[in-house]
Amino acid sequence: MAAMQDIEQGIEFAPKFDENGLITAVAQDAETGQVLMVGYMNRQALDSTIQSGYATYFSRSRQKLWKKGEQSGHLQKVQQILVDCDQDCLVLKVTVDAGQCHVGYQSCFYRALDKKTKGKLKFIAEKVYDPRKTYNSS
Amino acid sequence: MAAMQDIEQGIEFAPKFDENGLITAVAQDAETGQVLMVGYMNRQALDSTIQSGYATYFSRSRQKLWKKGEQSGHLQKVQQILVDCDQDCLVLKVTVDAGQCHVGYQSCFYRALDKKTKGKLKFIAEKVYDPRKTYNSS
């Protein structure tokens, strides 16, 4: 109980990584409040983020550190790192340019469940850049 | 490739549950944009959320469905469900009353990493209700 109280009410930063050594991190636009993406960090990615000031995640598909924007140029400059009550999740308040999602949208959350047609999605955003130009260097 | 393109650019809602049968869900205040909490849903919790219009999660610690606010009364009325590019994460735009976190704050993210004192947190919010009165029914 004491330990949980410390975690929830204390000032020690004690991020809780899961069985895979990862913690969930929500990137939120510091100005608009828009949720841009959700990624995962291992200890090294978190340390790198804190030290560099730019969001670095751990890519689960590629199993390696991934500085957001290292290829696309769409970096996330970290203004503030929030942690939740049980310290198993982070919110990164970030400053970004136009186009955070590799599909071409500002946010990865560019579709919403359509209430009228059950099980279908509707697009709620317009693309802000052409990913073919960004990712095809040939 | 075609499958991935369908997932990312299509209108079929095909939420991807992880090896534990869960998908991450970020609850965001529909009015203020504040990130309130991050929870997890299994298929049943997601179906229940869609059908009832109120956020229902799967509690990993208690290993059971958990309708947010069933004990505290602080329900989350779902206005919109967004899904990200690879459909392994949701954002729930929710309408809430005062006090979403069981510790007494409006959001679970009531602390931020203090840039001045490395490794320490600072409180960035005030409590909005007294959780002892809410959760102690004795």
Side-chain angles (χ1 to χ4, degrees):
Chain A
M1 276 304 279
M4 183 51 83
Q5 188 164 343
D6 287 345
I7 289 168
E8 292 186 345
Q9 314 244 16
I11 61 164
E12 294 296 330
F13 183 47
K16 190 162 65 182
F17 298 91
D18 69 11
E19 65 274 17
N20 296 314
L22 300 176
I23 189 167
T24 304
V26 180
Q28 184 181 28
D29 189 310
E31 287 183 30
T32 67
Q34 184 177 30
V35 174
L36 300 169
M37 57 168 278
V38 174
Y40 301 87
M41 292 182 174
N42 61 7
R43 179 83 246 184
Q44 194 182 354
L46 178 55
D47 287 345
S48 177
T49 298
I50 293 170
Q51 285 161 21
S52 71
Y54 287 91
T56 300
Y57 301 93
F58 182 80
S59 168
R60 295 180 300 174
S61 57
R62 289 176 287 160
Q63 287 287 304
K64 65 171 197 173
L65 284 192
W66 163 53
K67 183 178 180 182
K68 173 77 181 81
E70 64 186 353
Q71 191 183 353
S72 67
H74 298 303
L75 300 166
Q76 295 179 342
K77 187 166 174 52
V78 178
Q79 302 297 342
Q80 198 175 35
I81 297 175
L82 314 184
V83 66
D84 72 346
C85 42
D86 57 357
Q87 301 209 31
D88 69 353
C89 190
L90 307 172
V91 166
L92 277 61
K93 300 266 195 177
V94 297
T95 303
V96 294
D97 64 1
Q100 283 292 303
C101 178
H102 75 286
V103 181
Y105 298 90
Q106 178 64 4
S107 161
C108 292
F109 296 91
Y110 50 85
R111 291 171 297 181
L113 199 56
D114 190 347
K115 289 179 181 172
K116 294 175 193 165
T117 56
K118 286 188 178 179
K120 301 287 184 189
L121 300 172
K122 61 179 178 182
F123 285 78
I124 56 170
E126 300 287 334
K127 288 189 181 180
V128 294
Y129 76 100
D130 184 350
R132 291 172 300 185
K133 291 181 182 168
T134 300
Y135 292 100
N136 284 350
S137 57
S138 60
Chain B
M1 273 307 282
M4 181 52 82
Q5 188 165 342
D6 286 345
I7 290 169
E8 291 186 344
Q9 314 244 16
I11 61 163
E12 292 297 330
F13 183 46
K16 188 161 68 182
F17 297 91
D18 69 11
E19 66 274 17
N20 296 314
L22 301 176
I23 190 167
T24 304
V26 180
Q28 184 181 29
D29 189 309
E31 286 184 30
T32 67
Q34 184 177 31
V35 174
L36 300 169
M37 58 168 278
V38 174
Y40 301 88
M41 293 181 172
N42 60 7
R43 179 82 244 185
Q44 194 182 353
L46 177 56
D47 287 346
S48 178
T49 298
I50 293 170
Q51 285 161 22
S52 71
Y54 287 92
T56 299
Y57 301 93
F58 182 80
S59 168
R60 295 179 301 173
S61 58
R62 289 176 287 161
Q63 286 286 306
K64 66 171 196 172
L65 284 193
W66 162 54
K67 183 178 180 183
K68 175 74 181 83
E70 65 186 353
Q71 192 181 353
S72 66
H74 298 303
L75 300 167
Q76 295 178 344
K77 186 165 173 54
V78 178
Q79 302 298 341
Q80 198 175 34
I81 299 176
L82 313 185
V83 65
D84 72 345
C85 41
D86 56 357
Q87 301 208 32
D88 69 353
C89 189
L90 307 172
V91 166
L92 276 63
K93 299 268 194 176
V94 297
T95 303
V96 295
D97 64 359
Q100 282 293 302
C101 178
H102 75 286
V103 180
Y105 297 90
Q106 177 64 3
S107 161
C108 293
F109 297 91
Y110 50 84
R111 291 171 296 181
L113 199 55
D114 191 346
K115 289 179 182 173
K116 295 175 191 165
T117 56
K118 287 187 177 178
K120 301 288 184 189
L121 299 172
K122 60 178 178 182
F123 285 78
I124 56 170
E126 300 286 335
K127 287 187 181 179
V128 294
Y129 76 100
D130 183 349
R132 291 171 301 184
K133 291 181 182 167
T134 300
Y135 292 100
N136 285 350
S137 57
S138 61

